[in-house]
Amino acid sequence: MSPVDYVIIGHVSRDRTPAGPMFGGTAAYAGRTALAHGWRVGVITSTGPDWDPRPALDGAYLLNLPAERTTEFENVYTPEGRRQRVHGVAERLLPAAIPLEWRRPRVVHLGPIAGEVDPSLLEAFEGALRGVTPQGWMRAWDAQGQVYPQPWREAEWILPRADAVVFSEEDIQGDWETARRWARQTRILVVTQAARGATLFLDGIPHSIPAYPVEEVDPTGAGDVFAAAFFIRLWETRDPLAAARYAARVAALSVTRPGLEGTPRPEEIAAIRREMAF
């Protein structure tokens, strides 16, 4: 039996903020969300010697590959939207890094933030629900570190092999033609739309998922929380519509607190499950 239920692969970043450095990255937000569900979580990541991801993922099994530098992002919010700069990238994550005993989890989640996850990892796990959040394959940066969008080059290979794919409307810059084309290549695809909820595509057919109204404090990581809750509930029920409604409820909670504090707590997950009668 596998010692882990949920394997998340991606960099735990150091984010530059006015309040000082903070933990970031899909691996941190999704990993904490899976822990709150009572699942045994394995995280495969990479950081430099100046950044220890363990405080962000207390309770998880952590495989941290040493790197010269930590993946570091700086977000600048302007009237025209968010501008990002990257100040370093840690090591690439490859199939050889996966312990043999981790290769049969319930869910494997590929969560790149800087192109660091090798797509072939999708085929390295036997019998797992294969979830993908591809945002880190959809960005690049120039010599000054200024981040800009790029086409998702691996989409044609990954989409048919994934069981569920989640990304935001912002990730595709509102290009719904691309979203609909990708939705025809994979069975389950979700486009999150912040306060407007999400659109779930099942075999290419769109379904609207309403948002839960809350007072927003910080939207950071909400998409990663949504994805982890969605993959977990999808594994439990095999019902994508029910899983998306559940994930929307959990993600709404996450925006009411800043940063990693927004990830759900076990008692909150239990309360949401009671509220939604399961």
Side-chain angles (χ1 to χ4, degrees):
M1 183 172 125
S2 174
V4 290
D5 303 311
Y6 194 107
V7 173
I8 171 74
I9 306 174
H11 287 168
V12 176
S13 64
R14 176 173 53 204
D15 292 351
R16 293 189 184 184
T17 77
M22 294 186 178
F23 292 106
T26 298
Y29 282 89
R32 287 169 66 98
T33 300
L35 285 167
H37 283 79
W39 282 33
R40 298 169 301 167
V41 176
V43 180
I44 300 174
T45 191
S46 176
T47 67
D50 57 347
W51 197 238
D52 183 357
R54 287 176 295 181
L57 290 156
D58 186 33
Y61 297 95
L62 191 66
L63 177 58
N64 186 21
L65 304 179
E68 291 185 5
R69 303 190 67 180
T70 295
T71 298
E72 185 172 12
F73 283 97
E74 180 180 9
N75 295 320
V76 179
Y77 293 91
T78 73
E80 291 75 37
R82 182 179 70 170
R83 296 169 61 186
Q84 260 189 338
R85 188 179 297 273
V86 64
H87 295 279
V89 178
E91 290 298 310
R92 187 164 175 81
L93 305 175
L94 302 167
I98 308 164
L100 289 176
E101 61 271 22
W102 286 23
R103 291 183 181 240
R104 294 182 63 87
R106 298 173 183 174
V107 171
V108 58
H109 178 175
L110 270 55
I113 60 171
E116 74 277 14
V117 177
D118 192 286
S120 65
L121 280 158
L122 204 61
E123 295 190 319
F125 296 86
E126 185 177 350
L129 187 152
R130 293 166 293 185
V132 173
T133 50
Q135 64 169 331
W137 289 316
M138 299 160 69
R139 58 166 65 119
W141 48 91
D142 60 23
Q144 289 72 46
Q146 189 67 46
V147 175
Y148 58 88
Q150 70 169 1
W152 181 15
R153 299 187 184 93
E154 304 92 347
E156 305 295 322
W157 188 87
I158 291 174
L159 287 166
R161 292 168 170 82
D163 294 306
V165 177
V166 178
F167 54 81
S168 73
E169 188 177 33
E170 181 186 22
D171 291 331
I172 55 169
Q173 304 172 81
D175 181 0
W176 284 90
E177 181 179 345
T178 292
R180 287 188 287 270
R181 174 166 53 83
W182 286 346
R184 292 191 293 270
Q185 298 176 62
T186 194
R187 179 169 177 262
I188 301 170
L189 183 143
V190 183
V191 183
T192 60
Q193 297 168 265
R196 290 178 290 115
T199 298
L200 165 68
F201 290 91
L202 295 179
D203 297 316
I205 298 172
H207 303 263
S208 180
I209 305 299
Y212 285 78
V214 295
E215 184 174 343
E216 182 178 298
V217 172
D218 182 4
T220 304
D224 300 322
V225 171
F226 180 103
F230 179 70
F231 297 151
I232 287 170
R233 194 62 186 151
L234 182 61
W235 183 89
E236 291 174 342
T237 66
R238 306 296 169 176
D239 183 339
L241 282 166
R245 288 192 288 267
Y246 171 74
R249 178 68 183 90
V250 177
L253 171 71
S254 77
V255 305
T256 64
R257 299 188 294 261
L260 280 184
E261 292 180 25
T263 55
R265 298 158 185 162
E267 62 272 18
E268 292 171 329
I269 292 298
I272 291 172
R273 287 180 178 271
R274 289 194 299 271
E275 172 191 319
M276 302 187 77
F278 53 78

